[in-house]
Amino acid sequence: STLLRRRLKEMRGDKATNGGFDHTYLIDDKLSKNAMLKAKLGNDTKIRLAAELAAGKNGDRINGRRMRVYTDRQAIHLYTGNFLNNNPGKGGVKYKKYGGLCLEAEDLPNAINLQYKKTAHEAFKRPIIVGPNTKPYSSTIIFEFLKDQLVLP
């Protein structure tokens, strides 16, 4: 569990990331929630929990809103709007830096270049290649939105 707001403050001034996240993370199949998901959907499922976000102020879950992202892809890409700079949006809204967050399900970015290398990690061995005998590409991503029951002190 990481407080995103705190990590973004720590990254300010980092020129390599423009002060934010633009990273791909390999999904860990060994997470306890993925074990529960396999028990629910069956051991042959490729769907697994990739990310979970909780909304709150300063890390407190004061409003109880959460979002979970499930996918059959190998990785999740996190982008925190680090390159937004008053970009125009719908209805004249201006999107400021960190004014958005993206979670993109994907295979590993460099897999196409490493797929045949014997020393490559297993995760790099199944990129999609288009050719005359390939099957249509399909992928699953599920966004689950939750509202926890709040217990007031």
Side-chain angles (χ1 to χ4, degrees):
S1 167
T2 301
L3 295 176
L4 192 57
R5 184 182 313 242
R6 184 181 303 150
R7 286 290 293 130
L8 287 170
K9 284 181 183 176
E10 291 170 6
M11 297 172 87
R12 284 199 180 132
D14 183 347
K15 291 184 181 179
T17 63
N18 198 33
F21 288 91
D22 195 1
H23 307 307
T24 301
Y25 296 92
L26 188 61
I27 299 168
D28 186 354
D29 283 328
K30 295 177 182 143
L31 291 172
S32 62
K33 288 182 181 174
N34 283 331
M36 290 188 299
L37 194 62
K38 284 194 178 289
K40 196 180 217 180
L41 299 177
N43 281 333
D44 59 339
T45 186
K46 293 181 181 178
I47 304 290
R48 56 209 190 282
L49 179 66
E52 182 171 7
L53 302 174
K57 211 176 211 177
N58 298 323
D60 297 329
R61 288 177 145 178
I62 59 168
N63 62 21
R65 290 181 293 168
R66 290 183 294 136
M67 180 179 82
R68 290 182 181 155
V69 181
Y70 301 89
T71 185
D72 59 354
R73 297 293 85 202
Q74 298 170 313
I76 193 86
H77 190 92
L78 169 64
Y79 173 66
T80 53
N82 356 324
F83 291 96
L84 294 176
N85 185 15
N86 291 319
N87 300 63
K90 188 174 181 179
V93 172
K94 300 279 185 187
Y95 292 104
K96 297 178 183 177
K97 189 169 190 168
Y98 313 124
L101 179 126
C102 298
L103 290 167
E104 304 163 4
E106 60 184 32
D107 285 327
L108 294 173
N110 200 27
I112 197 77
N113 297 314
L114 299 173
Q115 66 179 327
Y116 299 115
K117 290 193 177 201
K118 291 180 183 177
T119 57
H121 185 277
E122 168 120 358
F124 287 98
K125 300 205 177 187
R126 52 167 260 225
I128 300 162
I129 298 177
V130 178
N133 298 322
T134 57
K135 295 178 185 175
Y137 171 77
S138 71
S139 177
T140 301
I141 186 167
I142 300 167
F143 296 95
E144 179 183 26
F145 297 92
L146 303 137
K147 174 87 170 133
D148 296 334
Q149 185 68 33
L150 295 180
V151 178
L152 298 175

